[in-house]
Amino acid sequence: MSTPYNVALQEEDQPHWVSRAAFPIIAGALFMTQGLLAVAVYQGMFWVAVLLMLVASHFMHGILIGFHEASHGHLRKSRFLNEADGVLIGVMSFMSFSLYRAAHQTHHAHLGTERDEELWPFVHPSAPRWTRILAAAAELCVGMIFTPALFFRIFVRNGSPIRSRKVRRRIWAEYALIAVVWTGIISTVAWLDGWLYFIWLYVLPGFIAANLQSWRKYIEHVGLTGSTIKSATRSIVSNSWPGRVVALTLLHEPFHGVHHQHVRLPHAELPERAAELEPSTASERGPFPSYWHALKDLWHSLADPRVGAQWRRETSLRD
């Protein structure tokens, strides 16, 4: 891709410091927004609170992507801090960090195949259409519940790909930590009678952030039946300044195809390789200029959500 934005990115020796510092910027912005939100709720300025809550949900979405970065070891240079941040974000989102990391490996190793655990049940041609539609509706509307349940299913189901006893023990320990921390949080909120603030500062923005995470996941893969990374992934490359800000606050996750091609690259380096997203075969897709364009491409597939080249083989057998 030969746009001024991409050329400019390729000419830099290193990613801009703002890109490298995206996660602490997002975390700082979230804490500041939450502080203002608490003041708005305290003052009874609920229209202002609604706007601030929506902003907070976007930053929470960015924090959830930080969880993904931590699973790849890219969030912090220090391994200890990377693990600590991953566990902390996981606890606050009812997710075991070790479980997510182990399950996420199947997504990269077996993208869009029946062994891609994250895209269950859409990768299984044997799954009835009503089951796939129900799963999509649940994930897109109540992602805060569905996503932790999806990963817990991966962990406890027969034939789980997570077989290491050491990893499984750590996962159970993280679930115990989640139970202890959340018992303390709920007890403290009840003791202080802080339910109003808890709902505004955590429940509402967290609910929206989890759904945003689900919609982004679907935009990235659902409805695509290709057998290569670029034919099984939607990427977003925007040359407008709002698009660049969105990419920054989402830790450059919109360059999703690049991430799948170069899984060891830190997020700040993904935009430099945007040119690699150009299709090399007729079946591959070029990047979309915005999430809105990609959403329109996703929308028609939600009536029969499916992922992977196995669906094309299934159709051929039926014909």
Side-chain angles (χ1 to χ4, degrees):
M1 181 178 295
S2 57
T3 65
Y5 174 43
N6 293 316
V7 170
L9 285 172
Q10 292 169 355
E11 287 175 352
E12 296 180 0
D13 293 330
Q14 295 293 331
H16 194 279
W17 72 265
V18 173
S19 292
R20 297 197 302 272
F23 183 74
I25 289 173
I26 295 168
L30 175 60
F31 289 136
M32 183 175 68
T33 305
Q34 292 284 64
L36 294 173
L37 177 55
V39 172
V41 172
Y42 179 76
Q43 296 291 338
M45 303 166 62
F46 291 109
W47 284 111
V48 175
V50 168
L51 296 176
L52 289 170
M53 182 269 294
L54 293 175
V55 173
S57 68
H58 174 73
F59 290 134
M60 281 188 177
H61 182 197
I63 295 295
L64 291 175
I65 298 174
F67 182 67
H68 163 264
E69 285 295 300
S71 75
H72 287 284
H74 297 158
L75 190 61
R76 298 282 203 119
K77 290 183 179 180
S78 164
R79 181 176 180 180
F80 173 78
L81 293 177
N82 188 86
E83 293 287 304
D85 280 353
V87 171
L88 176 60
I89 297 170
V91 167
M92 296 308 297
S93 52
F94 308 102
M95 290 281 290
S96 161
F97 178 58
S98 297
L99 171 57
Y100 177 81
R101 178 164 50 195
H104 189 60
Q105 291 174 1
T106 71
H107 177 58
H108 281 279
H110 309 290
L111 175 62
T113 72
E114 291 173 276
R115 297 176 66 185
D116 186 340
E117 298 283 344
E118 285 190 31
L119 292 173
W120 176 90
F122 314 115
V123 292
H124 294 282
S126 60
R129 180 182 176 187
W130 70 266
T131 302
R132 289 179 281 112
I133 291 176
L134 182 62
E139 189 165 14
L140 294 173
C141 297
V142 284
M144 180 180 273
I145 297 172
F146 184 92
T147 299
L150 171 66
F151 281 87
F152 188 71
R153 171 197 172 274
I154 295 169
F155 180 50
V156 300
R157 73 171 179 82
N158 290 332
S160 170
I162 305 167
R163 299 189 179 95
S164 167
R165 292 184 179 180
K166 180 179 179 180
V167 173
R168 292 185 71 87
R169 284 196 299 269
R170 175 165 171 168
I171 291 170
W172 281 120
E174 290 175 3
Y175 273 123
L177 178 63
I178 291 169
V180 169
V181 170
W182 274 99
T183 298
I185 290 174
I186 296 300
S187 298
T188 302
V189 171
W191 181 53
L192 297 174
D193 194 23
W195 295 110
L196 180 64
Y197 293 94
F198 179 68
I199 290 171
W200 276 98
L201 272 67
Y202 178 80
V203 176
L204 293 177
F207 181 85
I208 294 173
N211 288 346
L212 290 174
Q213 171 90 346
S214 296
W215 279 98
R216 182 184 49 74
K217 168 187 169 180
Y218 277 51
I219 285 173
E220 289 167 355
H221 297 296
V222 173
L224 302 181
T225 55
S227 57
T228 66
I229 287 174
K230 286 186 283 188
S231 62
T233 306
R234 296 184 187 91
S235 298
I236 316 296
V237 178
S238 174
N239 293 313
S240 66
W241 73 262
R244 297 185 210 181
V245 170
V246 168
L248 177 72
T249 54
L250 296 181
L251 300 182
H252 304 103
E253 192 72 0
F255 297 86
H256 198 62
V258 181
H259 170 62
H260 273 279
Q261 291 173 333
H262 304 282
V263 70
R264 297 185 183 276
L265 277 182
H267 71 85
E269 298 181 25
L270 299 181
E272 297 180 19
R273 296 176 180 260
E276 298 179 17
L277 293 172
E278 286 299 306
S280 52
T281 68
S283 65
E284 294 182 343
R285 291 168 172 258
F288 291 83
S290 71
Y291 270 110
W292 174 245
H293 289 84
L295 176 61
K296 289 192 291 185
D297 188 68
L298 161 70
W299 188 256
H300 72 276
S301 68
L302 293 179
D304 188 11
R306 53 181 71 182
V307 179
Q310 61 273 20
W311 283 99
R312 289 189 284 125
R313 293 193 294 270
E314 182 75 10
T315 302
S316 298
L317 289 174
R318 290 173 182 173
D319 292 344

